[in-house]
Amino acid sequence: MKNSIVITGTPGVGKTTVARELAKTEGYRLIELNTIAKEVGALAGQDPDRGASIIDETKLKRELARVLKSEGAKFIVEGHYGEIVPPRFVERAVVIRLDPRILRMRLIERGYAQSKVDENVQAEILDSCLVNAVEVFGEGIVLEVDATGLDFPQLLMSVREAISGRGLPPGSVNWLTRLQKEGVLHEFLR
Ligand SMILES: Nc1ncnc2c1ncn2[C@@H]1O[C@H](COP(=O)(O)OP(=O)(O)OP(=O)(O)O)[C@@H](O)[C@H]1O
Ligand SMILES: [Mg+2]
């Protein structure tokens, strides 16, 4: 019963903005992972070092399975730990990517602490969300969308295409190579 599209990616790449618009225009039921985790009490506390919530994964997976088995509905599930969605429901996982330089500016603008900015930017450079998605859902299910330089309507169009199976296969985006070519990689290796 594959009735769900997962939108994942590093915090700040634009998942929530895209997912809300798709839900509104295309009749998906929207599940925001951070919201549902809060609602069902699957936030198992705070990691004081990282300023991030710890997720009770078992509880959240159980709740997702309960909701996603609704007959006849189609879902968009968005969040930076999209790999938590039980794979039997997942028709497509779209990983939104963003140039680490732009991501860094966005996260600074959000007022994130330096350590949290660095952690997220490094996760983007190391393809963390992509790797997690491929590990759980398999290569054939996952596509990347590079949001770099796209305005919102263009990003939305690219995500729609990826949902329908036209997009970048895993491994297409390579920030390490790009940053190195452009001579700025050292700025990210602090
Ligand atoms: N294509 C775009 N161009 C410019 N800014 C964008 C674009 N898409 C989203 N943004 C902006 O980037 C910021 C982050 O977007 P959003 O909150 O959707 O990210 P997110 O991936 O859901 O992050 P988080 O995982 O922390 O919830 C917002 O201020 C949003 O307006
Ligand atoms: Mg969000």
Side-chain angles (χ1 to χ4, degrees), residues 6 27 42 46 50-51 56 65 98 101-102 126 129 158:
V6 170
Q46 287 282 317
R50 297 175 50 236
D56 180 339
L98 187 63
R101 290 164 282 192
I102 299 172
L126 295 176
C129 290
S158 296

Side-chain angles (χ1 to χ4, degrees), residues 95-113:
V95 186
I96 302 181
R97 309 302 306 270
L98 187 63
D99 186 301
R101 290 164 282 192
I102 299 172
L103 182 64
R104 185 169 56 186
M105 285 190 293
R106 261 192 218 175
L107 296 178
I108 290 170
E109 255 169 50
R110 268 189 183 184
Y112 277 17

Side-chain angles (χ1 to χ4, degrees), residues 47-162:
D47 178 339
D49 293 338
R50 297 175 50 236
S53 300
I54 300 165
I55 305 296
D56 180 339
E57 293 189 13
T58 311
K59 197 169 196 175
L60 185 52
K61 279 180 187 162
R62 200 187 315 129
E63 182 61 20
L64 285 168
R66 196 184 65 74
V67 175
L68 295 178
K69 69 179 190 232
S70 314
E71 294 287 331
K74 53 176 191 169
F75 295 88
I76 290 239
V77 187
E78 71 88 15
H80 69 272
Y81 41 97
E83 69 278 1
I84 193 122
V85 183
R88 65 182 183 279
F89 298 107
V90 179
E91 181 185 327
R92 173 75 53 208
V94 180
V95 186
I96 302 181
R97 309 302 306 270
L98 187 63
D99 186 301
R101 290 164 282 192
I102 299 172
L103 182 64
R104 185 169 56 186
M105 285 190 293
R106 261 192 218 175
L107 296 178
I108 290 170
E109 255 169 50
R110 268 189 183 184
Y112 277 17
Q114 182 71 49
S115 59
K116 202 165 171 180
V117 173
D118 288 347
E119 180 183 341
N120 284 305
V121 167
Q122 281 162 14
E124 177 60 24
I125 293 175
L126 295 176
D127 307 326
S128 294
C129 290
L130 176 73
V131 168
N132 292 340
V134 169
E135 204 171 285
V136 170
F137 303 127
E139 287 224 20
I141 297 290
V142 181
L143 289 172
E144 299 187 78
V145 165
D146 185 357
T148 310
L150 304 185
D151 62 19
F152 185 64
Q154 290 169 327
L155 173 58
L156 204 56
M157 192 159 62
S158 296
V159 172
R160 280 202 180 97
E161 283 178 3

